[in-house]
Structure formats: C-alpha cells, structure tokens
Amino acid sequence: MPRQTAEAPPPSTGAFARADQGPAPFAALDLGTNNCRLLLAAPTSTGFRVVDSFSRIVRLGEGLATTGRLGEIPMERAAAALRACAEKLARRPVRRLEAVATEACRRAENGAAFLARITAETGLRLRVISAREEAELAMESCAPLLEPGDRRALLFDIGGGSTEIAWIRVTADGNPELIGYVSLPLGVVTLAERAGSSCFTEHGFFEVVDEVAAHLARFDQVHRIGQEIRAGGVRLMGTSGTVTTLAGVAMALPRYRRPLVDGKTLDCQAADLALGDLFALGREGLAAHPCVGPERVEFVLPGCAVYAAIRRVWPTPRLTVADRGLREGMLTRMMRAERQASRNRAR
C-alpha cells in the first residue's frame, strides 16, 4: 500500500518550482463545512511528497442547520479562500486537479448555486461527493496505517457538518474494503451552533454524548462491531481536528506538529485524560492552548463529545491518530489511476 512521505512542504514564498524543475504535481481541493484545504503533491516510489498546501477556516456551514441555506458572509469567506487556491494553482501547472465539496454543499438549498458562482469567478469546478465517497476517501488515505494482524478497522471522521463512520474489512492481501458506513448529521459546527455554550458544562456535554451514542448504537446493532472488538484484531482510527488535538494534548506538545502526530497510536486512557484536560481548561484556556487557539475554541468540546460517544459504544484499548483525510485519499486515487493507465499503455 502506498505511504505518504512525511516531508513538510517548502516555505510558501510565492516561489513555486518552474515546470522544468520536475514533473507537474497532482492537486486535491476539499471544501468542507468548516475548512477549505488544498494539497499539491508529486508521486514518489513510496507514495507522494507534499509540494505545497493551503488551509483556512471558512465556517461555510455557519447557520445552515437553522436556515437550510448557505449564508452570504460564510459564502464570501469560502469564496475568498477558493480564490486564494485558484491563484496558487494558476502559478503552477498541475497534472490533474480533483476538487470536492462535502456536507454543507450537500445539504444547502443554494449549494449548487454557490458552486456555480465559484466556477464563474475562479474557474474551479467542485464536485459534491456523497457521504459514502467521503468515507471511502478517508479510508483510502488511512489505509497505510493498517498493520499486520488487523482484521477490521473502525474509522471515524468528525467533520464540521457531519461525522462519518466507516467499518472496514482488511483483506488477505492487506487492503481495506468498506463493508459499512454511516454519516451522522452531527459535526462540530452544527453541534456548536445548536448546543452553544452548554458543551462547556458537564450536563450539556453529556447530553451531546448521549445523543451521538444513540445513533452509533443503531449502527453497531447492524454490524456487530462491539462483538468484533471483543474478538480482537480491530483497529480504531480517527481522522479529524478533534483527534489530532487530543493527541497533541496527550503528548504534551508545546505546539502542534503533524509529523509527530500523524500515525501515532495512543493508549485510549491517555486520550481520555487529554479530553478531561481540555474540558477543564474552559473557553479562555482553550483559546490560549497551543494545540487549539482562538479560532477553534467553539468546536473542540463538541468534537470531544462525539469522540466520547464513540469510546462509550466501542471501547478499545488503543486509538490510531491520522492527520490526513479527503485530500490525501484523492491524491492516492489519482496517482494510482495514472500508474494503471501507464501500465495499460505499455501493454
């Protein structure tokens, strides 16, 4: 299975390498409910090397749960980020670009109109993907973290507008196969808007935990995941800002560093203690914490409540943390398709 190399992208000084300095990279763009992210990468013998990246909190789904529509101010924030992405892409030729939008644009009445506006303004064509494809891409990106002895994997992605759960069978040759998934309309943005400051109280926090756990229990009844966990060989994997934050706190990092977190397997008790530490900090403490910061204060505890529900329904001894997601999954797919096309031409 391909592995992503851990090299950090070069400094963003406006100095993209010229086309004659190497082959054009692939590009993957993910417009989520909370973030807009772009990743450019070149294939290597073991996976890919990151060339440049972009990430900005845009809160596109702000107010969506109440109105059913994308608001003007959130759309403008997202449009500004997408214009920045388009400018990056214009400065360097790319071999292929995949651009997707997720839960906010899936749910919003005006989601299609907003994406048409983006195409007219920037030339970027974003494809709205289904919840299943979102789970498949997350699985694709996290596949390299599977290890010998894993029979199954339970992968969760706590997003801005939804939480995706993927139940995965590991085949005899070590490849992942999606055998079940569920998308809960409960993400950090939607929960933060609905719960407000109540998540900062013990009562409000556990109300969210109870609600999410009830959804997960129904999924568990279908797939008997708890039974499989008790039999052994099930890897719990999390990919989201929530789990990477928990890892950073559990590891006592003075500042967040992706290479130290991505692929790290934590004792779940350590992650639980980190959750308790975050809850105890309160709003001001979270804003000052180097692994959180003021922009994410409102979203950390709702995400932690979703994680706590997952731990309640599926208690496992260890958690594998993945700082990777849809972009890495798209890049892996594009590069594999190109290799297959090259082999077909050679035949």
Side-chain angles (χ1 to χ4, degrees):
M1 290 177 289
R3 293 187 178 272
Q4 179 184 344
T5 55
E7 293 95 333
S12 180
T13 59
F16 285 85
R18 294 190 305 272
D20 60 358
Q21 292 180 326
F26 292 84
L29 173 62
D30 167 24
L31 177 63
T33 302
N34 199 38
N35 293 277
C36 176
R37 298 184 176 103
L38 173 69
L39 196 63
L40 288 85
T44 68
S45 59
T46 56
F48 56 80
R49 176 179 59 83
V50 174
V51 173
D52 199 6
S53 64
F54 172 90
S55 180
R56 184 179 296 174
I57 294 175
V58 296
R59 304 194 305 281
L60 177 60
E62 187 176 68
L64 174 61
T66 303
T67 66
R69 297 177 59 82
L70 302 176
E72 289 300 324
I73 293 174
M75 284 193 291
E76 183 48 44
R77 284 195 300 258
L82 289 166
R83 286 193 292 269
C85 291
E87 290 169 5
K88 273 185 176 289
L89 292 166
R91 294 200 296 267
R92 173 173 194 138
V94 296
R95 209 178 312 188
R96 184 178 167 189
L97 166 68
E98 281 283 343
V100 303
T102 57
E103 181 71 6
C105 290
R106 276 199 299 264
R107 292 177 57 192
E109 294 174 9
N110 56 341
F114 170 65
L115 295 181
R117 167 193 160 186
I118 293 302
T119 300
E121 289 183 5
T122 68
L124 295 172
R125 297 182 180 275
L126 281 79
R127 176 173 62 92
V128 179
I129 61 174
S130 67
R132 180 184 179 91
E133 185 172 357
E134 196 169 346
E136 288 172 339
L137 287 169
M139 178 184 73
E140 187 95 57
S141 70
C142 294
L145 302 179
L146 294 170
E147 295 182 1
D150 292 340
R151 297 185 306 107
R152 299 280 191 275
L154 181 63
L155 173 64
F156 63 91
D157 181 359
I158 305 169
S162 63
T163 294
E164 269 62 51
I165 308 288
W167 180 229
I168 298 163
R169 176 192 295 119
V170 183
T171 63
D173 56 2
N175 290 317
E177 178 184 16
L178 185 67
I179 55 176
Y181 78 97
V182 65
S183 178
L184 308 181
L186 302 168
V188 298
V189 173
T190 50
L191 288 171
E193 288 186 354
R194 195 186 69 192
S197 60
S198 69
C199 259
F200 289 88
T201 70
E202 187 171 336
H203 176 74
F205 183 88
F206 282 103
E207 274 194 337
V208 175
V209 174
D210 292 342
E211 178 185 0
V212 177
H215 286 280
L216 299 179
R218 289 191 285 272
F219 186 65
D220 182 78
Q221 288 173 359
V222 173
H223 295 283
R224 304 297 183 190
I225 297 169
Q227 183 175 315
E228 292 281 0
I229 289 172
R230 289 188 291 274
V234 177
R235 180 173 295 275
L236 179 66
M237 296 193 290
T239 170
S240 68
T242 297
V243 291
T244 56
T245 298
L246 286 171
V249 174
M251 297 166 67
L253 298 180
R255 62 184 179 85
Y256 184 79
R257 293 185 61 195
R258 181 186 183 277
L260 296 180
V261 171
D262 183 47
K264 175 76 173 177
T265 296
L266 295 176
D267 184 300
C268 278
Q269 289 186 342
D272 294 345
L273 289 172
L275 190 159
D277 290 341
L278 288 170
F279 186 85
L281 285 172
R283 195 183 303 273
E284 290 185 6
L286 289 171
H289 197 285
C291 291
V292 180
E295 285 193 310
R296 298 180 56 232
V297 166
E298 303 300 326
F299 308 132
V300 170
L301 293 184
C304 285
V306 176
Y307 168 76
I310 291 168
R311 285 278 292 131
R312 177 189 292 180
V313 177
W314 298 305
T316 61
R318 289 174 296 279
L319 166 67
T320 297
V321 180
D323 189 348
R324 56 183 75 192
L326 303 191
R327 296 172 303 161
E328 290 83 358
M330 288 187 281
L331 289 168
T332 300
R333 278 188 177 180
M334 285 187 281
M335 293 173 188
R336 184 171 60 237
E338 182 178 89
R339 288 193 297 270
Q340 184 60 51
S342 296
R343 285 193 289 267
N344 293 341
R345 287 194 296 271
R347 295 193 191 105

